[in-house]
Coordinates of all heavy atoms in Angstrom, one line a residue:
K18 N -47.4 -59.4 -53.5 CA -46.9 -59.7 -54.8 C -47.3 -61.1 -55.3 O -47.7 -61.3 -56.5 CB -45.4 -59.6 -54.8 CG -44.7 -59.5 -56.1 CD -43.2 -59.3 -55.9 CE -42.5 -58.9 -57.1 NZ -41.1 -58.7 -57.0
E19 N -47.3 -62.1 -54.4 CA -47.7 -63.4 -54.7 C -49.2 -63.5 -55.0 O -49.6 -64.3 -56.0 CB -47.3 -64.4 -53.6 CG -45.9 -64.6 -53.3 CD -45.2 -63.4 -52.5 OE1 -46.0 -62.7 -51.8 OE2 -44.0 -63.2 -52.7
E20 N -50.0 -62.8 -54.3 CA -51.5 -62.9 -54.5 C -51.8 -62.3 -55.9 O -52.6 -62.8 -56.7 CB -52.2 -62.1 -53.5 CG -52.2 -62.8 -52.1 CD -52.7 -61.9 -51.0 OE1 -52.6 -60.6 -51.1 OE2 -53.2 -62.5 -50.0
L21 N -51.1 -61.2 -56.2 CA -51.3 -60.5 -57.5 C -50.9 -61.5 -58.6 O -51.5 -61.6 -59.7 CB -50.6 -59.2 -57.6 CG -50.8 -58.4 -58.9 CD1 -52.3 -58.1 -59.1 CD2 -50.0 -57.2 -58.9
H22 N -49.8 -62.2 -58.4 CA -49.2 -63.1 -59.4 C -50.2 -64.2 -59.6 O -50.5 -64.6 -60.8 CB -47.9 -63.7 -58.9 CG -47.3 -64.7 -59.9 ND1 -46.9 -64.4 -61.1 CD2 -47.2 -66.0 -59.7 CE1 -46.5 -65.5 -61.7 NE2 -46.7 -66.5 -60.9
I23 N -50.8 -64.7 -58.6 CA -51.8 -65.8 -58.7 C -53.1 -65.3 -59.5 O -53.6 -66.0 -60.4 CB -52.3 -66.4 -57.3 CG1 -51.1 -67.1 -56.7 CG2 -53.5 -67.3 -57.4 CD1 -51.3 -67.4 -55.2
I24 N -53.5 -64.1 -59.2 CA -54.7 -63.6 -59.9 C -54.3 -63.4 -61.3 O -55.1 -63.7 -62.2 CB -55.1 -62.2 -59.2 CG1 -55.8 -62.5 -57.8 CG2 -56.1 -61.5 -60.1 CD1 -56.1 -61.3 -57.0
D25 N -53.2 -62.8 -61.6 CA -52.8 -62.6 -63.0 C -52.6 -63.9 -63.8 O -53.0 -64.0 -64.9 CB -51.5 -61.8 -63.1 CG -51.7 -60.3 -62.9 OD1 -52.8 -59.9 -63.1 OD2 -50.7 -59.6 -62.6
R26 N -52.1 -64.9 -63.1 CA -51.9 -66.2 -63.8 C -53.3 -66.8 -64.1 O -53.5 -67.3 -65.2 CB -51.1 -67.2 -62.9 CG -50.8 -68.5 -63.6 CD -50.1 -69.5 -62.7 NE -51.0 -69.8 -61.6 CZ -50.6 -69.9 -60.3 NH1 -49.3 -69.7 -60.0 NH2 -51.4 -70.3 -59.4
N27 N -54.2 -66.7 -63.2 CA -55.6 -67.2 -63.4 C -56.3 -66.4 -64.5 O -57.1 -66.9 -65.3 CB -56.4 -67.3 -62.1 CG -55.9 -68.3 -61.2 OD1 -55.3 -69.3 -61.6 ND2 -56.1 -68.1 -59.9
F28 N -56.1 -65.1 -64.4 CA -56.7 -64.2 -65.4 C -56.2 -64.6 -66.8 O -57.0 -64.7 -67.7 CB -56.4 -62.7 -65.1 CG -56.6 -61.8 -66.2 CD1 -57.8 -61.6 -66.7 CD2 -55.5 -61.1 -66.8 CE1 -58.0 -60.7 -67.8 CE2 -55.7 -60.2 -67.8 CZ -56.9 -60.0 -68.3
K29 N -54.9 -64.8 -67.0 CA -54.4 -65.1 -68.3 C -54.9 -66.5 -68.8 O -55.0 -66.7 -70.0 CB -52.9 -65.1 -68.3 CG -52.3 -63.7 -68.2 CD -50.8 -63.7 -68.0 CE -50.3 -62.3 -67.8 NZ -48.9 -62.2 -67.6
A30 N -55.3 -67.4 -67.8 CA -55.8 -68.7 -68.2 C -57.3 -68.6 -68.5 O -57.9 -69.6 -69.0 CB -55.6 -69.7 -67.1
S31 N -57.9 -67.5 -68.3 CA -59.3 -67.3 -68.6 C -59.5 -66.6 -69.9 O -58.6 -66.2 -70.6 CB -60.0 -66.5 -67.5 OG -59.7 -65.1 -67.7
V32 N -60.8 -66.5 -70.4 CA -61.1 -65.8 -71.6 C -61.5 -64.4 -71.4 O -61.9 -63.7 -72.3 CB -62.1 -66.6 -72.4 CG1 -61.6 -67.9 -72.9 CG2 -63.4 -66.7 -71.7
C33 N -61.4 -63.9 -70.1 CA -61.8 -62.5 -69.8 C -60.8 -61.6 -70.5 O -59.6 -61.9 -70.5 CB -61.8 -62.3 -68.3 SG -63.0 -63.2 -67.4
R34 N -61.3 -60.5 -71.0 CA -60.4 -59.6 -71.7 C -59.7 -58.6 -70.7 O -58.7 -58.0 -71.0 CB -61.2 -58.8 -72.7 CG -61.6 -59.7 -73.8 CD -62.4 -58.9 -74.8 NE -62.9 -59.8 -75.9 CZ -62.6 -59.6 -77.2 NH1 -61.8 -58.7 -77.5 NH2 -63.1 -60.5 -78.0
K35 N -60.4 -58.3 -69.6 CA -59.8 -57.3 -68.6 C -59.7 -58.0 -67.3 O -60.5 -58.8 -66.8 CB -60.7 -56.1 -68.5 CG -60.8 -55.3 -69.8 CD -61.7 -54.1 -69.7 CE -61.7 -53.3 -71.0 NZ -62.6 -52.2 -70.8
R36 N -58.6 -57.6 -66.5 CA -58.4 -58.1 -65.2 C -59.6 -57.7 -64.3 O -60.0 -58.5 -63.5 CB -57.1 -57.7 -64.6 CG -56.8 -58.3 -63.3 CD -55.7 -57.8 -62.5 NE -54.5 -57.5 -63.3 CZ -53.5 -56.6 -62.9 NH1 -53.7 -56.0 -61.7 NH2 -52.5 -56.4 -63.6
S37 N -60.1 -56.5 -64.4 CA -61.2 -56.1 -63.6 C -62.4 -56.9 -63.8 O -63.1 -57.2 -62.8 CB -61.5 -54.6 -63.8 OG -61.9 -54.4 -65.2
D38 N -62.7 -57.3 -65.0 CA -63.8 -58.2 -65.3 C -63.6 -59.5 -64.6 O -64.5 -60.1 -64.0 CB -64.0 -58.4 -66.8 CG -65.2 -59.2 -67.1 OD1 -66.3 -59.0 -66.5 OD2 -65.1 -60.0 -68.0
F39 N -62.4 -60.1 -64.7 CA -62.1 -61.4 -64.1 C -62.3 -61.3 -62.6 O -62.9 -62.2 -62.0 CB -60.6 -61.8 -64.5 CG -60.2 -63.0 -63.8 CD1 -60.6 -64.2 -64.2 CD2 -59.3 -62.9 -62.7 CE1 -60.1 -65.4 -63.5 CE2 -58.9 -64.0 -62.0 CZ -59.3 -65.3 -62.5
V40 N -61.7 -60.3 -62.0 CA -61.8 -60.1 -60.5 C -63.3 -59.9 -60.1 O -63.7 -60.5 -59.1 CB -60.9 -59.0 -60.0 CG1 -61.1 -58.7 -58.5 CG2 -59.4 -59.3 -60.3
R41 N -64.0 -59.1 -60.8 CA -65.4 -58.8 -60.5 C -66.2 -60.1 -60.6 O -67.0 -60.4 -59.7 CB -66.0 -57.8 -61.5 CG -67.4 -57.4 -61.2 CD -67.9 -56.3 -62.2 NE -67.0 -55.2 -62.3 CZ -66.2 -54.9 -63.3 NH1 -66.3 -55.6 -64.4 NH2 -65.5 -53.8 -63.3
R42 N -66.0 -60.9 -61.6 CA -66.7 -62.2 -61.7 C -66.3 -63.1 -60.6 O -67.2 -63.8 -60.1 CB -66.3 -62.9 -63.1 CG -67.0 -62.2 -64.2 CD -66.6 -62.9 -65.5 NE -67.3 -62.4 -66.6 CZ -68.5 -62.8 -67.0 NH1 -69.1 -63.7 -66.3 NH2 -69.2 -62.2 -68.0
N43 N -65.1 -63.1 -60.1 CA -64.7 -64.0 -59.0 C -65.4 -63.5 -57.7 O -65.9 -64.3 -57.0 CB -63.2 -63.9 -58.7 CG -62.4 -65.0 -59.4 OD1 -62.8 -66.2 -59.3 ND2 -61.4 -64.7 -60.1
L44 N -65.4 -62.2 -57.5 CA -66.0 -61.6 -56.3 C -67.5 -61.9 -56.2 O -68.1 -62.2 -55.2 CB -65.7 -60.1 -56.1 CG -64.3 -59.8 -55.8 CD1 -64.1 -58.3 -55.9 CD2 -63.9 -60.2 -54.4
L45 N -68.1 -61.8 -57.4 CA -69.6 -62.0 -57.4 C -70.0 -63.4 -57.7 O -71.2 -63.7 -57.9 CB -70.2 -61.0 -58.5 CG -70.0 -59.6 -58.3 CD1 -70.5 -58.7 -59.5 CD2 -70.6 -59.1 -57.0
R46 N -69.0 -64.3 -57.7 CA -69.2 -65.7 -57.9 C -70.0 -66.0 -59.2 O -70.9 -66.9 -59.2 CB -69.9 -66.3 -56.7 CG -69.0 -66.2 -55.5 CD -69.6 -67.0 -54.3 NE -68.7 -66.7 -53.2 CZ -68.8 -67.3 -52.1 NH1 -69.8 -68.2 -51.9 NH2 -68.0 -67.1 -51.1
K47 N -69.6 -65.3 -60.2 CA -70.2 -65.6 -61.6 C -69.3 -66.6 -62.3 O -68.1 -66.6 -62.0 CB -70.3 -64.3 -62.4 CG -71.4 -63.3 -61.8 CD -71.5 -62.2 -62.8 CE -72.6 -61.2 -62.3 NZ -72.8 -60.1 -63.2
P48 N -69.8 -67.3 -63.2 CA -69.0 -68.3 -63.9 C -67.9 -67.6 -64.7 O -68.1 -66.6 -65.3 CB -70.0 -69.1 -64.8 CG -71.2 -68.2 -64.9 CD -71.2 -67.3 -63.7
I49 N -66.8 -68.3 -64.8 CA -65.6 -67.8 -65.5 C -65.2 -68.9 -66.5 O -65.0 -70.0 -66.1 CB -64.4 -67.4 -64.6 CG1 -64.8 -66.3 -63.7 CG2 -63.2 -67.0 -65.5 CD1 -63.8 -65.9 -62.7
V50 N -65.2 -68.6 -67.8 CA -64.7 -69.6 -68.8 C -63.2 -69.5 -68.8 O -62.6 -68.5 -69.0 CB -65.4 -69.2 -70.1 CG1 -64.9 -70.2 -71.2 CG2 -66.9 -69.2 -70.1
M51 N -62.7 -70.7 -68.6 CA -61.2 -70.9 -68.7 C -60.8 -71.4 -70.0 O -61.5 -72.1 -70.7 CB -60.7 -71.8 -67.6 CG -61.1 -71.3 -66.2 SD -60.5 -69.7 -65.7 CE -58.9 -70.0 -65.3
K52 N -59.6 -71.0 -70.4 CA -59.1 -71.6 -71.7 C -58.8 -73.1 -71.5 O -58.3 -73.5 -70.4 CB -57.7 -70.9 -72.1 CG -57.9 -69.5 -72.4 CD -56.6 -68.8 -72.8 CE -56.7 -67.4 -73.1 NZ -55.5 -66.7 -73.3
Y53 N -59.1 -73.8 -72.5 CA -59.0 -75.3 -72.3 C -58.1 -75.9 -73.4 O -58.0 -77.1 -73.6 CB -60.3 -76.0 -72.3 CG -61.2 -75.7 -73.5 CD1 -61.1 -76.6 -74.6 CD2 -62.0 -74.6 -73.6 CE1 -61.8 -76.3 -75.8 CE2 -62.7 -74.4 -74.7 CZ -62.7 -75.2 -75.8 OH -63.4 -75.0 -76.9
R54 N -57.5 -75.0 -74.2 CA -56.7 -75.5 -75.3 C -55.3 -76.0 -74.8 O -54.8 -75.4 -73.9 CB -56.5 -74.4 -76.4 CG -57.8 -74.0 -77.0 CD -57.4 -73.0 -78.1 NE -56.7 -73.6 -79.1 CZ -57.0 -73.6 -80.4 NH1 -58.1 -72.9 -80.8 NH2 -56.3 -74.2 -81.3
N55 N -54.8 -77.0 -75.4 CA -53.5 -77.5 -75.1 C -52.5 -76.7 -75.8 O -52.4 -76.8 -77.0 CB -53.5 -79.0 -75.4 CG -52.3 -79.7 -75.0 OD1 -51.2 -79.1 -74.7 ND2 -52.3 -81.0 -74.9
E56 N -51.7 -76.0 -75.1 CA -50.7 -75.1 -75.8 C -49.6 -75.9 -76.5 O -49.2 -75.5 -77.6 CB -50.0 -74.2 -74.7 CG -51.0 -73.1 -74.2 CD -50.4 -72.2 -73.2 OE1 -49.1 -72.1 -73.2 OE2 -51.1 -71.5 -72.5
S57 N -49.2 -77.1 -76.0 CA -48.2 -77.8 -76.7 C -48.8 -78.4 -78.0 O -48.1 -78.4 -79.0 CB -47.7 -79.0 -75.9 OG -48.8 -79.9 -75.6
L58 N -50.1 -78.7 -78.0 CA -50.8 -79.1 -79.2 C -50.9 -77.9 -80.2 O -50.7 -78.1 -81.4 CB -52.2 -79.7 -78.9 CG -52.9 -80.2 -80.1 CD1 -52.2 -81.3 -80.8 CD2 -54.3 -80.7 -79.6
D59 N -51.1 -76.7 -79.7 CA -51.1 -75.6 -80.6 C -49.8 -75.3 -81.3 O -49.7 -75.0 -82.5 CB -51.5 -74.3 -79.8 CG -53.0 -74.3 -79.4 OD1 -53.8 -75.1 -79.9 OD2 -53.3 -73.5 -78.5
K60 N -48.7 -75.5 -80.6 CA -47.4 -75.3 -81.1 C -47.1 -76.4 -82.2 O -46.6 -76.1 -83.3 CB -46.3 -75.4 -80.1 CG -46.3 -74.2 -79.1 CD -45.3 -74.3 -78.0 CE -45.4 -73.2 -77.1 NZ -44.5 -73.3 -75.9
L61 N -47.5 -77.6 -81.9 CA -47.4 -78.7 -82.8 C -48.2 -78.4 -84.1 O -47.7 -78.6 -85.2 CB -47.9 -80.0 -82.2 CG -47.9 -81.2 -83.2 CD1 -46.6 -81.7 -83.6 CD2 -48.7 -82.4 -82.5
L62 N -49.4 -77.9 -84.0 CA -50.2 -77.6 -85.2 C -49.6 -76.5 -86.0 O -49.6 -76.5 -87.2 CB -51.6 -77.2 -84.7 CG -52.5 -78.4 -84.2 CD1 -53.8 -77.9 -83.7 CD2 -52.7 -79.4 -85.3
Q63 N -49.0 -75.5 -85.3 CA -48.4 -74.4 -86.1 C -47.2 -74.9 -86.9 O -47.0 -74.5 -88.1 CB -47.9 -73.3 -85.1 CG -49.0 -72.5 -84.5 CD -48.4 -71.5 -83.4 OE1 -47.2 -71.6 -83.1 NE2 -49.3 -70.6 -83.0
E64 N -46.4 -75.8 -86.3 CA -45.3 -76.3 -87.1 C -45.7 -77.2 -88.2 O -45.2 -77.2 -89.3 CB -44.3 -77.1 -86.1 CG -43.6 -76.1 -85.2 CD -42.3 -76.7 -84.6 OE1 -41.7 -77.6 -85.2 OE2 -42.0 -76.3 -83.4
L65 N -46.8 -78.0 -87.9 CA -47.3 -78.9 -89.0 C -47.9 -78.1 -90.1 O -47.7 -78.5 -91.3 CB -48.3 -79.9 -88.4 CG -47.8 -81.0 -87.6 CD1 -48.9 -81.8 -87.0 CD2 -46.8 -81.9 -88.3
I66 N -48.5 -77.0 -89.8 CA -49.0 -76.1 -90.9 C -47.9 -75.5 -91.7 O -48.0 -75.5 -93.0 CB -49.9 -74.9 -90.3 CG1 -51.2 -75.5 -89.7 CG2 -50.1 -73.8 -91.3 CD1 -52.0 -74.5 -88.9
Q67 N -46.8 -75.1 -91.1 CA -45.6 -74.7 -91.8 C -45.1 -75.8 -92.7 O -44.7 -75.5 -93.9 CB -44.5 -74.1 -90.9 CG -44.9 -72.8 -90.2 CD -43.9 -72.4 -89.2 OE1 -43.0 -73.2 -88.8 NE2 -44.0 -71.2 -88.7
L68 N -45.0 -77.0 -92.2 CA -44.5 -78.1 -93.0 C -45.4 -78.4 -94.2 O -45.0 -78.6 -95.3 CB -44.3 -79.3 -92.1 CG -43.3 -79.2 -91.0 CD1 -43.3 -80.5 -90.1 CD2 -41.9 -79.0 -91.6
R69 N -46.7 -78.3 -93.9 CA -47.7 -78.5 -95.0 C -47.5 -77.5 -96.1 O -47.5 -77.8 -97.3 CB -49.1 -78.5 -94.5 CG -50.1 -78.8 -95.6 CD -51.5 -78.6 -95.0 NE -51.7 -77.3 -94.6 CZ -52.8 -76.9 -93.9 NH1 -53.7 -77.7 -93.6 NH2 -52.9 -75.6 -93.6
T70 N -47.2 -76.2 -95.7 CA -47.0 -75.2 -96.7 C -45.8 -75.4 -97.5 O -45.8 -75.3 -98.8 CB -46.9 -73.8 -96.0 OG1 -48.1 -73.6 -95.2 CG2 -46.7 -72.7 -96.9
Q71 N -44.7 -75.9 -96.9 CA -43.5 -76.2 -97.6 C -43.7 -77.4 -98.6 O -43.3 -77.3 -99.7 CB -42.4 -76.6 -96.7 CG -41.8 -75.4 -95.9 CD -40.6 -75.7 -95.0 OE1 -40.3 -76.9 -94.9 NE2 -40.0 -74.8 -94.4
L72 N -44.5 -78.4 -98.1 CA -44.7 -79.5 -99.0 C -45.6 -79.1 -100.2 O -45.4 -79.5 -101.3 CB -45.4 -80.6 -98.2 CG -44.5 -81.4 -97.3 CD1 -45.4 -82.4 -96.5 CD2 -43.5 -82.2 -98.1
S73 N -46.6 -78.2 -100.0 CA -47.4 -77.7 -101.1 C -46.6 -77.0 -102.1 O -46.8 -77.1 -103.3 CB -48.5 -76.8 -100.5 OG -49.4 -77.5 -99.7
F74 N -45.7 -76.1 -101.6 CA -44.8 -75.4 -102.5 C -44.0 -76.4 -103.3 O -43.8 -76.2 -104.5 CB -43.9 -74.5 -101.6 CG -42.8 -73.8 -102.4 CD1 -43.2 -72.7 -103.2 CD2 -41.5 -74.2 -102.3 CE1 -42.2 -72.1 -104.0 CE2 -40.5 -73.5 -103.1 CZ -40.9 -72.5 -103.9
M75 N -43.4 -77.4 -102.7 CA -42.6 -78.3 -103.4 C -43.4 -79.1 -104.4 O -43.0 -79.3 -105.6 CB -42.0 -79.3 -102.4 CG -40.9 -78.7 -101.5 SD -40.3 -79.8 -100.2 CE -40.0 -81.3 -101.1
G76 N -44.6 -79.5 -104.1 CA -45.5 -80.2 -105.0 C -45.9 -79.3 -106.2 O -45.9 -79.8 -107.3
N77 N -46.2 -78.1 -106.0 CA -46.5 -77.2 -107.1 C -45.3 -77.0 -108.0 O -45.5 -77.1 -109.2 CB -46.9 -75.8 -106.5 CG -48.3 -75.8 -105.9 OD1 -49.1 -76.7 -106.2 ND2 -48.5 -74.8 -105.0
N78 N -44.1 -76.9 -107.5 CA -42.9 -76.8 -108.3 C -42.7 -78.0 -109.1 O -42.3 -78.0 -110.3 CB -41.7 -76.4 -107.5 CG -41.6 -75.0 -107.1 OD1 -42.4 -74.2 -107.6 ND2 -40.7 -74.7 -106.2
F79 N -42.9 -79.2 -108.5 CA -42.7 -80.4 -109.2 C -43.7 -80.6 -110.3 O -43.4 -81.0 -111.4 CB -42.9 -81.6 -108.2 CG -42.5 -82.9 -108.8 CD1 -41.2 -83.3 -109.1 CD2 -43.5 -83.8 -109.2 CE1 -40.9 -84.5 -109.7 CE2 -43.2 -85.0 -109.8 CZ -41.9 -85.4 -110.0
N80 N -45.0 -80.2 -110.1 CA -46.0 -80.3 -111.1 C -45.7 -79.3 -112.3 O -45.9 -79.7 -113.5 CB -47.4 -79.9 -110.5 CG -48.0 -81.0 -109.7 OD1 -47.6 -82.1 -109.9 ND2 -48.9 -80.6 -108.8
Q81 N -45.2 -78.1 -112.0 CA -44.8 -77.2 -113.0 C -43.6 -77.8 -113.9 O -43.6 -77.7 -115.1 CB -44.3 -75.9 -112.4 CG -45.5 -75.1 -111.9 CD -45.0 -73.8 -111.2 OE1 -43.9 -73.5 -111.1 NE2 -46.0 -73.1 -110.6
S82 N -42.7 -78.5 -113.2 CA -41.6 -79.1 -113.9 C -42.1 -80.2 -114.8 O -41.6 -80.4 -116.0 CB -40.6 -79.7 -112.9 OG -40.0 -78.7 -112.1
V83 N -43.0 -81.0 -114.4 CA -43.5 -82.1 -115.2 C -44.3 -81.5 -116.4 O -44.2 -82.0 -117.5 CB -44.4 -83.1 -114.4 CG1 -45.2 -84.0 -115.2 CG2 -43.6 -83.8 -113.3
K84 N -45.1 -80.5 -116.2 CA -45.8 -79.8 -117.3 C -44.8 -79.3 -118.3 O -45.0 -79.4 -119.5 CB -46.7 -78.7 -116.8 CG -47.9 -79.2 -116.1 CD -48.7 -78.0 -115.6 CE -50.0 -78.5 -114.9 NZ -50.8 -77.4 -114.4
K85 N -43.7 -78.7 -117.8 CA -42.6 -78.2 -118.7 C -42.0 -79.3 -119.5 O -41.8 -79.2 -120.7 CB -41.6 -77.5 -117.9 CG -40.4 -76.9 -118.7 CD -40.8 -75.8 -119.6 CE -39.6 -75.2 -120.2 NZ -40.0 -74.2 -121.2
L86 N -41.8 -80.5 -118.9 CA -41.2 -81.6 -119.6 C -42.1 -82.1 -120.7 O -41.7 -82.4 -121.8 CB -41.1 -82.8 -118.6 CG -40.6 -84.1 -119.2 CD1 -39.2 -83.9 -119.7 CD2 -40.5 -85.2 -118.1
H87 N -43.4 -82.0 -120.5 CA -44.4 -82.4 -121.6 C -44.4 -81.5 -122.8 O -44.8 -81.8 -123.9 CB -45.8 -82.6 -121.0 CG -46.0 -83.8 -120.2 ND1 -45.9 -85.1 -120.6 CD2 -46.2 -83.9 -118.8 CE1 -46.1 -85.9 -119.6 NE2 -46.2 -85.2 -118.5
T88 N -43.9 -80.2 -122.6 CA -43.9 -79.2 -123.7 C -42.6 -79.2 -124.4 O -42.5 -78.5 -125.4 CB -44.2 -77.8 -123.1 OG1 -43.2 -77.4 -122.2 CG2 -45.6 -77.8 -122.4
L89 N -41.6 -79.9 -124.0 CA -40.3 -79.8 -124.6 C -40.3 -80.7 -125.9 O -40.7 -81.9 -125.9 CB -39.2 -80.3 -123.7 CG -39.0 -79.4 -122.4 CD1 -37.9 -80.0 -121.5 CD2 -38.6 -78.0 -122.8
F90 N -39.8 -80.1 -127.0 CA -39.8 -80.9 -128.2 C -38.3 -81.2 -128.7 O -38.1 -82.1 -129.4 CB -40.5 -80.1 -129.3 CG -42.0 -80.0 -129.0 CD1 -42.5 -78.8 -128.6 CD2 -42.8 -81.1 -129.1 CE1 -43.9 -78.7 -128.4 CE2 -44.2 -81.0 -128.8 CZ -44.7 -79.8 -128.5
E91 N -37.4 -80.3 -128.3 CA -36.0 -80.5 -128.8 C -35.1 -81.1 -127.8 O -35.4 -80.9 -126.6 CB -35.5 -79.2 -129.3 CG -36.2 -78.6 -130.5 CD -35.6 -77.3 -130.9 OE1 -34.4 -77.0 -130.6 OE2 -36.3 -76.5 -131.6
I92 N -34.1 -81.8 -128.2 CA -33.2 -82.4 -127.3 C -32.4 -81.4 -126.4 O -32.2 -81.6 -125.2 CB -32.2 -83.3 -128.0 CG1 -32.9 -84.4 -128.8 CG2 -31.1 -83.9 -127.1 CD1 -33.6 -85.4 -127.8
S93 N -32.1 -80.3 -127.0 CA -31.3 -79.2 -126.3 C -32.2 -78.7 -125.1 O -31.7 -78.4 -124.1 CB -30.9 -78.1 -127.2 OG -32.0 -77.5 -127.8
D94 N -33.5 -78.5 -125.4 CA -34.4 -78.0 -124.3 C -34.5 -79.0 -123.2 O -34.5 -78.7 -122.0 CB -35.8 -77.8 -124.9 CG -35.9 -76.6 -125.8 OD1 -35.0 -75.7 -125.7 OD2 -36.9 -76.5 -126.5
L95 N -34.5 -80.3 -123.6 CA -34.6 -81.4 -122.6 C -33.3 -81.4 -121.7 O -33.4 -81.6 -120.5 CB -34.8 -82.7 -123.3 CG -35.0 -83.9 -122.4 CD1 -36.2 -83.7 -121.6 CD2 -35.1 -85.2 -123.3
R96 N -32.2 -81.2 -122.3 CA -30.9 -81.2 -121.6 C -30.9 -80.1 -120.5 O -30.5 -80.2 -119.4 CB -29.7 -81.1 -122.5 CG -29.4 -82.3 -123.2 CD -28.1 -82.2 -124.0 NE -27.9 -83.4 -124.8 CZ -27.6 -83.4 -126.1 NH1 -27.4 -82.2 -126.7 NH2 -27.5 -84.5 -126.8
V97 N -31.3 -78.9 -121.0 CA -31.4 -77.7 -120.1 C -32.4 -78.0 -118.9 O -32.1 -77.7 -117.7 CB -31.8 -76.4 -120.8 CG1 -32.1 -75.3 -119.9 CG2 -30.7 -76.1 -121.8
W98 N -33.5 -78.6 -119.3 CA -34.5 -78.9 -118.2 C -34.0 -79.9 -117.3 O -34.2 -79.8 -116.0 CB -35.8 -79.4 -118.9 CG -36.8 -79.7 -117.9 CD1 -37.7 -78.8 -117.3 CD2 -37.1 -81.0 -117.2 NE1 -38.5 -79.4 -116.4 CE2 -38.1 -80.8 -116.3 CE3 -36.5 -82.2 -117.3 CZ2 -38.6 -81.8 -115.5 CZ3 -37.0 -83.2 -116.5 CH2 -38.0 -83.0 -115.6
I99 N -33.3 -81.0 -117.8 CA -32.7 -82.0 -116.9 C -31.7 -81.4 -115.9 O -31.7 -81.7 -114.7 CB -32.1 -83.2 -117.7 CG1 -33.3 -84.0 -118.3 CG2 -31.3 -84.1 -116.8 CD1 -32.8 -85.0 -119.3
M100 N -30.9 -80.5 -116.4 CA -29.9 -79.9 -115.5 C -30.6 -79.1 -114.4 O -30.2 -79.1 -113.3 CB -28.9 -79.0 -116.3 CG -28.0 -79.9 -117.2 SD -26.9 -78.9 -118.3 CE -26.3 -77.6 -117.4
A101 N -31.6 -78.3 -114.8 CA -32.3 -77.5 -113.8 C -33.1 -78.4 -112.9 O -33.1 -78.1 -111.7 CB -33.3 -76.6 -114.6
F102 N -33.6 -79.5 -113.4 CA -34.4 -80.4 -112.5 C -33.5 -81.1 -111.5 O -33.9 -81.3 -110.4 CB -35.1 -81.4 -113.4 CG -35.9 -82.4 -112.5 CD1 -37.1 -82.0 -112.0 CD2 -35.5 -83.7 -112.3 CE1 -37.9 -82.8 -111.2 CE2 -36.3 -84.5 -111.5 CZ -37.5 -84.1 -111.0
D103 N -32.2 -81.4 -111.9 CA -31.3 -82.0 -111.0 C -31.0 -81.2 -109.8 O -31.0 -81.6 -108.6 CB -30.0 -82.4 -111.7 CG -30.1 -83.6 -112.5 OD1 -31.1 -84.4 -112.3 OD2 -29.2 -83.8 -113.4
S104 N -30.8 -79.9 -110.0 CA -30.6 -79.0 -108.9 C -31.8 -78.8 -108.0 O -31.7 -78.8 -106.8 CB -30.1 -77.6 -109.4 OG -31.1 -76.9 -110.1
E105 N -33.0 -78.7 -108.7 CA -34.2 -78.6 -107.9 C -34.5 -79.8 -107.1 O -35.0 -79.8 -106.0 CB -35.4 -78.3 -108.9 CG -35.4 -76.9 -109.5 CD -35.7 -75.9 -108.4 OE1 -36.7 -76.0 -107.6 OE2 -35.0 -74.9 -108.3
R106 N -34.2 -81.0 -107.7 CA -34.4 -82.3 -107.1 C -33.6 -82.4 -105.8 O -34.1 -82.8 -104.7 CB -34.1 -83.4 -108.0 CG -34.4 -84.8 -107.4 CD -33.8 -85.9 -108.2 NE -32.4 -85.8 -108.1 CZ -31.6 -86.2 -109.1 NH1 -32.1 -86.7 -110.2 NH2 -30.3 -86.0 -109.0
D107 N -32.3 -81.9 -105.9 CA -31.5 -81.9 -104.7 C -32.1 -81.0 -103.6 O -32.1 -81.4 -102.4 CB -30.1 -81.5 -105.0 CG -29.4 -82.5 -105.9 OD1 -29.8 -83.7 -106.0 OD2 -28.4 -82.1 -106.6

Side-chain angles (χ1 to χ4, degrees):
K18 194 176 195 179
E19 293 80 20
E20 290 169 335
L21 183 62
H22 176 70
I23 291 170
I24 289 173
D25 279 342
R26 186 182 65 221
N27 290 334
F28 163 64
K29 289 176 184 174
S31 75
V32 296
C33 294
R34 293 179 183 241
K35 296 181 179 179
R36 187 191 315 159
S37 60
D38 183 42
F39 174 77
V40 172
R41 186 179 305 109
R42 287 178 172 275
N43 267 313
L44 288 172
L45 299 175
R46 297 186 182 186
K47 290 186 178 180
I49 298 173
V50 178
M51 302 302 279
K52 293 179 185 175
Y53 58 90
R54 294 185 69 128
N55 185 340
E56 290 181 18
S57 64
L58 182 59
D59 288 344
K60 291 176 185 176
L61 174 67
L62 288 175
Q63 287 175 353
E64 290 199 30
L65 288 175
I66 288 169
Q67 289 176 349
L68 294 175
R69 182 184 64 189
T70 303
Q71 286 182 358
L72 285 173
S73 294
F74 174 74
M75 291 170 51
N77 288 338
N78 281 350
F79 186 75
N80 285 337
Q81 289 173 1
S82 298
V83 171
K84 285 180 184 178
K85 178 69 173 175
L86 176 63
H87 288 292
T88 62
L89 297 177
F90 295 109
E91 296 182 20
I92 298 296
S93 62
D94 288 342
L95 184 60
R96 286 189 187 130
V97 170
W98 181 86
I99 288 174
M100 289 171 47
F102 182 75
D103 284 341
S104 67
E105 287 293 312
R106 184 191 64 212
D107 293 340

